[in-house]
Amino acid sequence: MPWDEAGAPALTRDTGVELLPEQATEHAPQGAAVLQYTWLGAWVVVARGAYDMDSIPPLSDALRAAVREHPKVVLDASGITFADSTLLNLLILTHQTGTLRVVAPSPQLRRLCEITGVDGILEMRASLDEAAVS
C-alpha cells in the first residue's frame, strides 16, 4: 500500500516544504530529536525523546523518506522516553510500506507495544548489528 493511501498525511503537518532526511533534526521540537546514518547496508533512524501528536512530524518525515529511498530501515528506539498511539500508528504504517526493524525499544515503548499487540507485528531486534544484517 503506498504511503499516502495508508494515511500518512494525518501524521504530518503539510507546510508545503519537503524536508531532506538530514534536515529533520533541525526542525524537531524541544525534547525530540531525529538523527540518520547508514550502517551495514541499512538506513538507521535514531529517535530520541518524547513522541506524541505534536512532536511526531520530524520522525514521520524521516521514516517516510527512508522507506521510500532505502530497502531496509532500522529505527533505533532506545532513546524514546515517551510514546503514545501516534508513534504506534507511525510504526505500523512504516512497517506496511517498507522493511522496518525496531532496535532496543525503551522499556516504556516495549510495554506499549506489548499492551497493544504491536510487538507481534513489528520486527524488534536487540542490537543495531542484528537489525542491519537480518
Side-chain angles (χ1 to χ4, degrees):
M1 172 184 314
W3 183 270
D4 291 351
E5 291 177 21
L11 294 176
T12 61
R13 292 191 178 113
D14 186 10
T15 60
V17 176
E18 181 87 19
L19 292 178
L20 297 173
E22 60 272 12
Q23 293 173 314
T25 301
E26 297 171 19
H27 298 343
Q30 187 172 7
V34 178
L35 305 170
Q36 303 181 61
Y37 59 93
T38 59
W39 184 256
L40 300 175
W43 187 253
V44 179
V45 177
V46 181
R48 300 281 186 251
Y51 289 94
D52 59 18
M53 193 167 77
D54 293 326
S55 61
I56 201 78
L59 181 57
S60 177
D61 293 344
L63 288 174
R64 182 176 45 172
V67 296
R68 219 177 25 231
E69 299 170 13
H70 303 281
K72 187 184 301 182
V73 176
V74 174
L75 173 65
D76 178 346
S78 62
I80 294 177
T81 58
F82 174 81
D84 65 9
S85 61
T86 309
L87 178 64
L88 287 180
N89 189 35
L90 173 61
L91 295 178
I92 292 168
L93 291 173
T94 304
H95 169 75
Q96 291 174 338
T97 312
T99 301
L100 174 68
R101 306 281 193 279
V102 179
V103 173
S106 64
Q108 192 270 338
L109 179 56
R110 181 175 297 282
R111 180 69 178 138
L112 183 60
C113 289
E114 289 170 359
I115 289 170
T116 59
V118 173
D119 63 332
I121 297 169
L122 298 176
E123 295 187 43
M124 296 197 185
R125 302 289 190 265
S127 73
L128 184 58
D129 288 348
E130 181 185 347
V133 297
S134 66

